[in-house]
Amino acid sequence: LDPVRFVAGAMFSLPALEAEQQEVNLLRDLPEIAVPVVFCAGRRDFTVPSELVGEYAQVLRAPSVSVVWFERSGHLPNFEEPERFAEVCVSLLARS
């Protein structure tokens, strides 16, 4: 039932958050984070285009910033490339 619950949750939360999401500008509102940052981003993402991820990663001030690109994914690399996503998560945990 997890996929059904995931879709139901998205159908509930997306309309409720849409207006607020339109106002978010991370470049302006969150220029610095006090912890290491890893973006897992899909190259084919039309929700958060890869150009924006790359731009933000370039200017974000944090102890470390990296981007893991998922070349065959859109917005949900954890579902679109689950094996590689799991490998990335395990490797990040091993580093910490």
Side-chain angles (χ1 to χ4, degrees):
L1 290 174
D2 286 344
V4 172
R5 291 181 179 127
F6 176 82
V7 171
M11 297 300 288
F12 171 79
S13 62
L14 290 176
L17 297 172
E18 187 171 3
E20 187 173 342
Q21 286 177 327
Q22 297 301 319
E23 299 300 319
V24 173
N25 180 336
L26 294 178
L27 291 165
R28 175 194 69 215
D29 300 334
L30 194 61
E32 185 171 3
I33 298 176
V35 298
V37 175
V38 178
F39 294 102
C40 293
R43 286 277 190 198
R44 300 176 182 185
D45 191 341
F46 295 111
T47 304
V48 181
S50 60
E51 295 83 8
L52 290 178
V53 174
E55 180 182 354
Y56 187 48
Q58 292 278 326
V59 300
L60 179 62
R61 294 185 312 273
S64 66
V65 179
S66 61
V67 181
V68 178
W69 293 111
F70 289 80
E71 300 296 335
R72 297 183 322 239
S73 292
H75 192 60
L76 299 170
N78 53 320
F79 293 118
E80 296 165 301
E81 295 182 60
E83 295 84 11
R84 177 149 184 264
F85 187 85
E87 289 170 5
V88 167
C89 291
V90 168
S91 72
L92 291 170
L93 287 171
R95 287 189 342 201
S96 56

